[in-house]
Amino acid sequence: METIFSKIIAKEIPADIVYEDDQILAFLDIKPVNPGHTLVIPKEPVIDGVEASEETMAAVMRVAQKVARAQKKTLGCTGVNYIMNNGEDAGQEVFHAHMHVIPRYKDDNTFSSPNHNDYKEGEVTEIADKLRDTI
Ligand code: AMP
């Protein structure tokens, strides 16, 4: 599975790398929501954060937190979003798993609020039961 990110891992195309180890690469997003917006990716070619193994996700989060702490310390951001789009319908555009680590500031107006809905009568229990049984 070749993507723009596998080319970055192979160093075939350049990226502003901020962290690298055997398993993980972190580099700046070319179209940042805010400056310092970083993508943390596993080096193994896995499509998204649902298909990735627990071990891979743990490695991604370990580095995402390092990046978030560095962003707070060096950029002075007052908040950080960890965001992972998994699947086209969830907004994923590059099909190699990646965690966005986005520095945030008070009233920076970068995201509009998601739509929150109400459950129908009985629906919340039914869904919680299904998920609990499956997990
Ligand atoms: P997503 O919508 O979650 O798949 O996000 C893909 C992200 O990859 C977007 O925020 C893009 O700006 C970013 N991106 C695409 N190509 C590159 C690249 N060559 N270097 C850095 N970031 C990239």
Side-chain angles (χ1 to χ4, degrees), residues 1-76:
M1 181 184 60
E2 185 154 281
T3 65
I4 194 93
F5 293 171
S6 57
K7 290 184 183 161
I8 289 175
I9 294 165
K11 310 277 162 69
E12 288 166 14
I13 61 166
D16 293 287
I17 294 172
V18 298
Y19 178 89
E20 181 165 16
D21 64 27
D22 289 350
Q23 256 185 308
I24 301 291
L25 192 67
F27 52 93
L28 298 187
D29 194 300
I30 38 167
K31 294 268 182 202
V33 168
N34 275 324
H37 175 168
T38 299
L39 300 173
V40 179
I41 69 172
K43 287 185 174 176
E44 80 176 91
V46 62
I47 195 163
D48 64 28
V50 179
E51 295 302 317
S53 68
E54 271 185 39
E55 195 212 357
T56 296
M57 287 301 286
V60 166
M61 277 317 302
R62 178 176 51 77
V63 175
Q65 191 186 45
K66 285 183 196 300
V67 170
R69 288 178 174 174
Q71 288 172 342
K72 286 191 97 169
K73 208 164 170 179
T74 61
L75 306 174

Side-chain angles (χ1 to χ4, degrees), residues 74-93:
T74 61
L75 306 174
C77 57
T78 46
V80 175
N81 288 120
Y82 297 130
I83 296 176
M84 196 164 202
N85 300 322
N86 302 300
E88 198 175 350
D89 292 345
Q92 187 176 5
E93 287 175 0

